[in-house]
Amino acid sequence: MKLWEKGIVYQIYPRSFNDSNGDGIGDLQGIIQKLDYLKELGVDIIWLSPPYLSPNNDNGYDVADYYKINPEYGSMEDMDLLIEKAKKRNIRIIMDLVINHTSTEHWWFKEAAKGKDNPYRDYYIWRDKKNNWGSFFGGTTWEKLDDQYYLHLFDKSQADLNLKNPKVIKEVKDIMTYWLDKGIYGFRMDVINVIYKNSLENGKRRFVLTGLEHYLSTERNHEILKELRRDVLDNYDTFTVGETVLVTPKEALDLMAKERKELDLVIAFEHMDVDHFNNKWFKIKYKPKKMIKALDKWQTALPWNCLYFENHDQPRSVSRFGLIKYHKESAKMLALVLLSLRGTPFIYQGEEIGMTNGDFTSLDEIMDKETHNVWKVGRKLLIPKRKLTKMILKATRDHARTPMQWDEKGWVNPWLKQNKNKSHINVENSLKDKDSILNFYKKMIEFRKNSHCLTKGEYKLISSKKDVFVFERSFENEKLLIVANMTNKERPFNVNNDVLISNYSDKISYLRPYEAYIVEVK
Ligand code: ISL
Ligand code: CA
């Protein structure tokens, strides 16, 4: 098995991970300080969200220079040190590769903005008039600059690159080569299935993302991935995981098919859609049944999944799919499910201590640009302020971005409001408490690593009755049964086999709230 198949990935959002110099912003030295912590946890691969030079309209997902480190985070020397020190501990790093767009502060764009004759004009996508496309961040995808408009699928400060231009492809290859030569293990590729726009025609009217059919998973997009693989990635031992918005199992299978040589793994979203309708701003009550259905569908459809319940774009899983009243039980249940499914587990910083959603009470406390853009759209649609506030406070991405809770003191002057519950939910406490969520993650990771069934076995759904997720993992003659009560209610379920690992200290004849365990099947 390859490292990315047997390993555990841990995502770091550098701004919020660890602040080494007390300026309120996480940094690379801060990550270096915590490498032993990650090693102890059982992490093999770090996915580093963008540390590149950026004006931070989207915290690094708006890159101003792919070859420079954001000075708030440190220097290129710090980055080299991080790669080296991680490697010494057998931890490899994958970088976030954001090539759908650059910041409008990137010098390519500044050149392009000078006029139609500029050699960099063609690095971006221009139109004399807007079309009807809708942005991922709300509103139109076009921003006027002198006598033309440029395309931005995300914020207006994120101009879409023109991948029809061979020079842009060459730039992308150079960027990848530069980072791979530094000894990184590969890339998490941002919105990698929308990078190639077939045409700029008007789209069919949709509630959101009008225009989608002109750029989602185009044929040429697949070819570009093949080309990057052939010309760059295959010269190294690498791992690529693509963030693929709105991806279907069929599309995912194409992207991951070994013989097609495009991506190793894709990030799918269906299980993140279980508590809203239409789009994430319209939240509805979470129903575990839908989660089980989505997980089972993807477990069955793909040979290998990117397993995750959180990332920097999603509210916290324990607040969403668990319950604060059963903080430990529900967080551990989620950990047990995550680490028992077939695929590569991704843990997002803070998830391992059960960090919760933020304590935000108004838009003023929110830093995320997407949330602010959506607020404006909502106001234009005349949604009353009280209602809109409620909506954005449920779904804002800032829930995932509050400062990592290392100890009860917390951060000095953090860039984003930190949670009051840092007083008890923090790493220091978790290390001391043998019964903590953190220690359960460690146990569960170790259990997984020592189990053929969990690392490489087959998956089979046994039952989803009454929101109890029961599945089997089997390898050769070994078989494990995983049982997870995904509700806050008692549930009837019993087997006589010995429990190998559980989030409760004993086993009784029925399941208690969020009770989850693994038993051996003889
Ligand atoms: O936030 C989302 C899901 O709740 C998505 O709409 C998200 O914008 C989409 O998944 C794309 O995300 C990626 O690209 C964005 C960046 O803002 C996100 O942080 C990144 O993960 C633009 O680069
Ligand atoms: Ca700092």
Side-chain angles (χ1 to χ4, degrees):
M1 282 179 107
K2 300 222 167 98
L3 174 64
W4 65 267
E5 290 168 316
K6 59 181 186 211
I8 305 285
V9 181
Y10 186 93
Q11 184 193 352
I12 290 182
Y13 195 69
R15 207 169 186 75
S16 305
F17 185 63
N18 187 31
D19 176 15
S20 72
N21 60 355
D23 65 354
I25 299 169
D27 45 57
L28 298 179
Q29 283 295 341
I31 302 175
I32 293 174
Q33 288 174 2
K34 298 297 180 188
L35 283 173
D36 287 329
Y37 167 79
L38 297 177
K39 186 74 207 170
E40 272 287 291
L41 178 59
V43 170
D44 304 283
I45 298 167
I46 292 171
W47 151 22
L48 187 61
S49 276
Y52 317 107
L53 187 72
S54 159
N56 284 322
N57 267 305
D58 195 10
N59 294 341
Y61 286 92
D62 48 334
V63 181
D65 192 330
Y66 296 92
Y67 301 97
K68 289 208 175 96
I69 296 296
N70 178 346
E72 292 173 319
Y73 299 159
S75 62
M76 193 56 87
E77 285 73 54
D78 295 322
M79 187 67 221
D80 292 335
L81 204 63
L82 171 59
I83 298 171
E84 185 195 316
K85 296 222 162 176
K87 230 183 202 165
K88 274 210 182 108
R89 291 165 174 84
N90 272 322
I91 298 177
R92 301 294 305 272
I93 293 178
I94 62 170
M95 298 297 283
D96 219 306
L97 185 72
V98 189
I99 55 163
N100 178 66
H101 43 266
T102 72
S103 163
T104 48
E105 306 257 306
H106 196 292
W107 65 268
W108 299 339
F109 190 82
K110 288 187 185 160
E111 283 298 311
K114 287 181 181 162
K116 284 186 182 161
D117 305 330
N118 189 282
Y120 287 89
R121 187 76 173 182
D122 241 11
Y123 269 46
Y124 296 88
I125 301 173
W126 302 88
R127 221 172 177 272
D128 292 333
K129 286 201 318 220
K130 291 185 198 188
N131 64 19
N132 67 354
W133 290 12
S135 157
F136 282 82
F137 284 1
T140 173
T141 57
W142 298 95
E143 179 70 11
K144 192 154 195 201
L145 196 90
D146 302 324
D147 53 351
Q148 280 197 308
Y149 294 81
Y150 65 86
L151 176 72
H152 61 89
L153 290 187
F154 294 87
D155 187 57
K156 65 171 188 270
S157 66
Q158 295 164 300
D160 279 49
L161 283 165
N162 175 16
L163 282 105
K164 285 191 173 166
N165 182 348
K167 286 191 191 139
V168 173
I169 303 271
K170 170 77 170 62
E171 298 276 11
V172 170
K173 289 182 188 169
D174 289 348
I175 293 164
M176 292 171 76
T177 305
Y178 173 82
W179 283 99
L180 288 166
D181 282 342
K182 281 188 176 292
I184 64 150
Y185 182 48
F187 301 97
R188 176 267 187 187
M189 300 179 165
D190 193 57
V191 291
I192 201 64
N193 61 338
V194 301
I195 57 174
Y196 188 86
K197 287 81 187 171
N198 264 342
S199 90
L200 304 177
E201 307 278 293
N202 272 332
K204 278 197 298 281
R205 287 241 163 244
R206 294 164 44 100
F207 182 59
V208 286
L209 299 179
T210 296
L212 195 70
E213 67 275 24
H214 296 299
Y215 61 78
L216 186 69
S217 300
T218 55
E219 238 350 272
R220 180 71 191 125
N221 194 322
H222 286 283
E223 279 164 33
I224 292 172
L225 290 175
K226 288 195 178 81
E227 194 178 324
L228 299 178
R229 176 82 172 253
R230 189 189 60 224
D231 294 353
V232 184
L233 291 155
D234 276 352
N235 300 325
Y236 306 80
D237 169 30
T238 63
F239 165 46
T240 54
V241 48
E243 187 206 25
T244 44
V245 290
L246 299 158
V247 72
T248 60
K250 187 180 169 299
E251 185 61 22
L253 282 171
D254 278 350
L255 287 161
M256 291 169 57
K258 294 255 188 292
E259 69 284 359
R260 288 172 59 114
K261 288 182 165 265
E262 295 182 21
L263 295 172
D264 293 318
L265 197 59
V266 306
I267 300 175
F269 285 86
E270 204 166 324
H271 69 301
M272 290 287 112
D273 294 335
V274 294
D275 59 350
H276 61 243
F277 67 93
N278 211 304
N279 73 57
K280 69 176 182 184
W281 304 102
F282 298 92
K283 287 279 180 224
I284 50 174
K285 192 173 159 23
Y286 165 62
K287 293 231 172 69
K289 190 164 61 198
K290 287 194 191 164
M291 173 62 87
I292 298 171
K293 204 172 158 200
L295 290 175
D296 176 60
K297 173 175 164 187
W298 284 80
Q299 284 287 302
T300 313
L302 303 193
W304 206 253
N305 271 272
C306 170
L307 308 169
Y308 74 97
F309 286 134
E310 289 188 18
N311 61 42
H312 65 293
D313 291 334
Q314 303 289 341
R316 290 289 184 175
S317 59
V318 68
S319 302
R320 229 176 140 181
F321 312 129
L323 205 64
I324 304 304
K325 182 174 166 208
Y326 293 106
H327 182 241
K328 275 188 172 174
E329 292 84 351
S330 59
K332 290 179 187 176
M333 178 279 290
L334 291 168
L336 189 139
V337 171
L338 183 82
L339 292 159
S340 296
L341 289 168
R342 183 173 159 91
T344 302
F346 281 54
I347 299 169
Y348 178 67
Q349 65 184 43
E351 187 176 1
E352 76 277 19
I353 56 166
M355 272 180 67
T356 64
N357 277 351
D359 308 319
F360 308 114
T361 54
S362 78
L363 182 71
D364 306 336
E365 292 171 341
I366 304 292
M367 301 293 284
D368 182 20
K369 194 77 194 221
E370 181 198 40
T371 312
H372 283 269
N373 288 353
V374 165
W375 175 271
K376 280 180 213 141
V377 174
R379 290 300 292 151
K380 262 199 203 142
L381 294 171
L382 301 176
I383 304 178
K385 278 192 185 163
R386 283 224 354 241
K387 172 124 198 268
L388 201 53
T389 302
K390 257 183 121 173
M391 286 170 77
I392 59 152
L393 292 186
K394 274 192 191 139
T396 181
R397 305 190 296 181
D398 274 355
H399 286 306
R401 302 174 180 185
T402 61
M404 174 77 183
Q405 293 165 202
W406 294 105
D407 52 33
E408 63 177 320
K409 286 195 315 293
W411 293 35
V412 185
N413 264 328
W415 71 277
L416 180 67
K417 186 177 178 181
Q418 55 194 333
N419 295 351
K420 285 201 269 314
N421 62 24
K422 68 182 187 313
S423 61
H424 59 283
I425 302 175
N426 62 57
V427 171
E428 202 179 298
N429 281 354
S430 308
L431 289 170
K432 280 186 242 156
D433 170 10
K434 74 171 196 341
D435 204 31
S436 66
I437 298 166
L438 178 64
N439 280 318
F440 187 77
Y441 265 90
K442 285 188 192 171
K443 243 172 55 187
M444 194 54 217
I445 289 173
E446 205 177 288
F447 184 88
R448 179 185 175 94
K449 287 189 173 171
N450 290 320
S451 159
H452 290 312
C453 288
L454 294 194
T455 44
K456 54 189 169 192
E458 300 297 318
Y459 160 93
K460 193 172 120 198
L461 179 70
I462 302 297
S463 162
S464 61
K465 256 186 251 141
K466 299 197 100 183
D467 297 338
V468 178
F469 188 15
V470 186
F471 58 96
E472 194 181 86
R473 299 289 314 274
S474 59
F475 182 75
E476 292 173 355
N477 300 328
E478 295 167 42
K479 240 185 218 169
L480 295 179
L481 191 73
I482 295 90
V483 180
N485 175 4
M486 301 194 88
T487 78
N488 61 353
K489 305 270 164 21
E490 290 171 354
R491 286 288 185 257
F493 189 90
N494 199 13
V495 282
N496 289 322
N497 320 36
D498 282 345
V499 171
L500 302 175
I501 185 165
S502 166
N503 62 346
Y504 276 76
S505 56
D506 57 354
K507 182 169 158 295
I508 54 175
S509 58
Y510 59 90
L511 296 172
R512 288 153 287 189
Y514 297 108
E515 183 163 355
Y517 55 71
I518 302 180
V519 297
E520 196 175 1
V521 184
K522 296 255 169 65

